Amino acid sequence: MSSSAPTGTEATAPVLHDFGGGPFGIYIHVPFCATRCGYCDFNTYTAGELGTSASPQSWLAALRGELATAAAAFDALPSGTPEVATIFVGGGTPSLLGGGGLANVMDAVRAEFALAPGAEVTTESNPESTAPEFFEQLLAGGFTRVSLGMQSAAQHVLKVLDRTHTPGRAVAAAKEARAAGFEHVNLDLIYGTPGERDADLDASLDAVLDAGVDHVSAYSLIVEDGTALARKVRRGDLPAPDDDVLAARYERIDARLGAAGLTWYEVSNWAANDSARCRHNLGYWDGGDWLGAGPGAHSHVGGVRWWNVKHPARYADRVAGGGLPAAGWEALSAEERYTERVMLTVRLRTGLPLTDLNPAGLAAADRVIADGLAVLEHGRLVLTPRGRLLADGVVRDLLT
């Protein structure tokens, strides 16, 4: 398909190309949350916001319909429907569905798609909506990996973020997941929250390492427009995150995790070994193909990207009407694919192959290396510790 194909709202039925040949993943978006965190701008809804317009039951029925429609569309491609190498259930708060509800989600996927041997199956979970029985049900339902939102071990930091879980609950949940038999457990951290001290971050890192997890994600706080946090910053109730503080906190995280045997494989992610890395997210960063199912989910297949309508009630109505519930779609041009390749791959520890760069990019790579922001390893451009702090700037230089 050429880049002159309809995009945006001009057409809502994506025209699919064949798959790119790499591992295929499925992302499933669960749009439900018990409360709305002040920093979050994801496509999520509380029960009060939805009223009677949508429920977990209506969402699951619509999800089944979307998966069936997508499988039929993929089957019509020359290569047919690929095996699913990775599944990631995100949100929102998937754990609000309970272990049995998430097992039903897996049943819905298996009804339409074949899973590859050794498929990675991850769900995000809020520590407060988990228990030992929950993790046992997940394992029995086919999940292989759990990602828990911890954010911080400091109560006052959680309060600023409007997080509802108690500080020790995330570590307890991680230990319960491991006791249930999960080999791969991730804890998410957010650093740079207004009011966070070095001692608070150290306590969070102590807790993470005590949990014995094999994967940690750590993200700097971003004040997103339209959130409660953004309104507080705009009014002057809270200070905006400080870039110098964020850089120092990142270095602190990297040093502590590295000393404990967790090494970075993407700028914001550390793993104990290769098998602990999140294969689903690597599929995004490596330019793979995936189906995004659920309200507001994004998909990418063979250079064609589409995104679903956001509201759960409208999503269910669109699925009931037949066809994929896409709000819009676009066919990526060669230039757009190049931009995304550089932007994503340079963040990986494996680095960006120089052969992927055009002449201007190669010249920029020489400058980036001369500035100490990257090194050359086996023909790949790999960020240095300082380069990781300035990764966005490196990307801009390579694309200039």
Side-chain angles (χ1 to χ4, degrees):
M1 179 183 300
S2 70
S3 59
S4 62
T7 61
T9 58
E10 297 176 33
T12 56
V15 177
L16 301 183
H17 272 180
D18 215 355
F19 294 93
F24 175 69
I26 294 179
Y27 170 77
I28 295 174
H29 188 70
V30 180
F32 309 111
C33 278
T35 60
R36 183 175 296 280
C37 298
Y39 63 92
C40 178
D41 71 337
F42 293 164
N43 186 45
T44 62
Y45 305 83
T46 65
E49 290 169 338
L50 287 174
T52 60
S53 66
S55 67
Q57 292 74 29
S58 65
W59 167 83
L60 180 58
L63 178 70
R64 291 182 186 276
E66 182 184 10
L67 291 171
T69 300
F74 293 157
D75 193 51
L77 295 174
S79 61
T81 304
E83 288 185 323
V84 180
T86 64
I87 299 171
F88 196 105
V89 184
T93 310
S95 50
L96 286 179
L97 301 178
L102 285 167
N104 289 338
V105 171
M106 280 300 298
D107 289 341
V109 174
R110 288 195 203 88
E112 306 298 339
F113 293 88
L115 271 61
E120 175 193 86
V121 184
T122 304
T123 184
E124 294 179 335
S125 298
N126 185 317
E128 290 292 342
S129 51
T130 64
E133 297 78 15
F134 169 83
F135 294 115
E136 291 167 3
Q137 290 174 317
L138 286 187
L139 205 62
F143 286 85
T144 66
R145 189 173 180 277
V146 177
S147 180
L148 295 158
M150 176 178 168
Q151 320 323 345
S152 176
Q155 180 66 60
H156 69 97
V157 173
L158 294 175
K159 184 176 181 180
V160 171
L161 296 173
D162 292 326
R163 294 289 295 186
T164 58
H165 66 267
T166 53
R169 178 58 203 153
V171 170
K175 291 181 177 179
E176 290 167 1
R178 286 171 51 80
F182 277 96
E183 179 183 0
H184 302 306
V185 181
N186 171 66
L187 284 171
D188 274 349
L189 292 176
I190 290 178
Y191 61 93
T193 300
E196 180 190 60
R197 303 161 301 191
D198 286 347
D200 298 323
L201 180 60
D202 287 342
S204 297
L205 292 168
D206 288 342
V208 164
L209 297 176
D210 177 61
V213 296
D214 66 347
H215 191 286
V216 177
S217 300
Y219 305 101
S220 63
L221 179 66
I222 298 175
V223 180
E224 301 285 2
D225 289 340
T227 62
L229 180 63
R231 291 189 289 273
K232 291 177 181 178
V233 170
R234 187 168 58 249
R235 291 195 303 263
D237 297 339
L238 290 172
D242 181 274
D243 288 342
D244 291 337
V245 171
L246 292 177
R249 295 272 160 80
Y250 180 88
E251 291 175 330
R252 203 178 192 96
I253 292 167
D254 187 50
R256 285 290 306 279
L257 296 180
L262 287 94
T263 56
W264 78 283
Y265 70 98
E266 191 273 342
V267 168
S268 299
N269 290 271
W270 291 258
N273 49 58
D274 288 353
S275 66
R277 298 176 178 181
C278 181
R279 287 158 45 198
H280 185 85
N281 286 341
L282 281 168
Y284 297 149
W285 298 319
D286 281 335
D289 292 319
W290 72 90
L291 167 69
H298 285 233
S299 302
H300 174 271
V301 174
V304 177
R305 180 163 49 210
W306 69 95
W307 49 95
N308 287 348
V309 294
K310 288 187 173 182
H311 196 279
R314 189 171 176 227
Y315 164 76
D317 288 343
R318 290 289 294 272
V319 172
L324 293 172
W329 65 278
E330 61 183 350
L332 300 178
S333 67
E335 181 178 356
E336 289 168 331
R337 291 198 198 194
Y338 176 79
T339 296
E340 291 199 356
R341 175 68 174 165
V342 171
M343 181 176 63
L344 296 173
T345 309
V346 78
R347 295 177 61 88
L348 296 174
R349 175 63 183 85
T350 50
L352 174 67
L354 291 184
T355 52
D356 286 356
L357 291 172
N358 60 26
L362 286 171
D366 288 338
R367 296 193 298 272
V368 167
I369 292 171
D371 290 340
L373 301 177
V375 295
L376 196 59
E377 293 184 4
H378 309 294
R380 291 172 174 263
L381 192 70
V382 178
L383 296 176
T384 62
R386 180 166 170 264
R388 279 187 273 157
L389 294 174
L390 302 171
D392 291 343
V394 171
V395 169
R396 286 194 296 271
D397 288 343
L398 294 175
L399 294 175
T400 300

